Amino acid sequence: MAGYMLVEQRSFAVPQTPNRGVQPNKRKIGIADFLRELEQEEFPFDENSSLMVTGIEEYLLASRPDMEVTAREIRMKLQKAAGFFNDRLCRNVQIVFRQPLKRGEHLIVDHVTQSIPIYLIFNTPIQTDIGGQTVFISQFNLSGS
């Protein structure tokens, strides 16, 4: 199932431990640039894009006190692009988190200053194990999670 893979930065594989951890995608892009790219007239990604999106925590924290509004806006932009990701046969887009993801009643980022409501963007993604690491997967349309 292709979609968004929510992964903690510490979960990526390193050369010293082959077959352990998540293999990182090749193209690193910041969240602001990623969202801007999604709004282009021509959809810029395809099955070879191999995207790793960084900075979502900082982006949301910078939007305080409107963090929840910003999270919902991100969700709407991602949902709008879902059909394009699926039509272009895009693989998993990795959303990288520096701080721990914490699943309770809702999925949040356990940031030192305040909890970041990731569930407002990705709803309730499926928790799975890849290379001995816990990751969360959400479909591109964000509705089936």
Side-chain angles (χ1 to χ4, degrees), residues 3-54:
Y4 296 103
M5 177 189 295
L6 285 55
V7 59
E8 295 175 13
Q9 188 171 350
R10 66 179 177 83
S11 297
F12 284 112
V14 293
Q16 297 83 358
T17 56
N19 301 322
R20 294 287 298 160
V22 177
Q23 292 302 314
N25 285 349
K26 293 177 176 74
R27 182 175 173 202
K28 195 175 194 178
I29 185 170
I31 185 70
D33 291 333
F34 177 67
L35 295 173
R36 222 178 348 269
E37 291 281 330
L38 293 180
E39 293 176 343
Q40 297 298 315
E41 191 170 314
E42 184 154 333
F43 192 73
F45 306 118
D46 60 29
E47 71 273 8
N48 298 313
S49 294
S50 189
L51 296 172
M52 176 192 297
V53 180
T54 61

Side-chain angles (χ1 to χ4, degrees), residues 109-121:
V109 171
D110 192 16
H111 194 272
V112 68
T113 59
Q114 80 179 82
S115 296
I116 303 173
I118 296 304
Y119 68 92
L120 293 176
I121 302 170

Side-chain angles (χ1 to χ4, degrees), residues 94-111:
Q94 294 172 336
I95 309 293
V96 181
F97 296 89
R98 292 172 47 161
Q99 302 297 316
L101 288 163
K102 191 173 178 183
R103 179 173 236 152
E105 182 179 345
H106 298 292
L107 184 64
I108 61 167
V109 171
D110 192 16
H111 194 272

Side-chain angles (χ1 to χ4, degrees), residues 1 6 12 22 24 26 32 35 37 57 61 75-76 78 80 85 88 95-96 100 105 107 113 126-127 131 134:
M1 169 178 77
L6 285 55
F12 284 112
V22 177
K26 293 177 176 74
L35 295 173
E37 291 281 330
E57 294 150 295
L61 287 170
R75 180 182 175 86
M76 286 189 330
L78 295 181
K80 186 176 176 185
F85 276 113
R88 299 277 179 99
I95 309 293
V96 181
E105 182 179 345
L107 184 64
T113 59
I126 298 166
Q127 183 174 333
T134 299

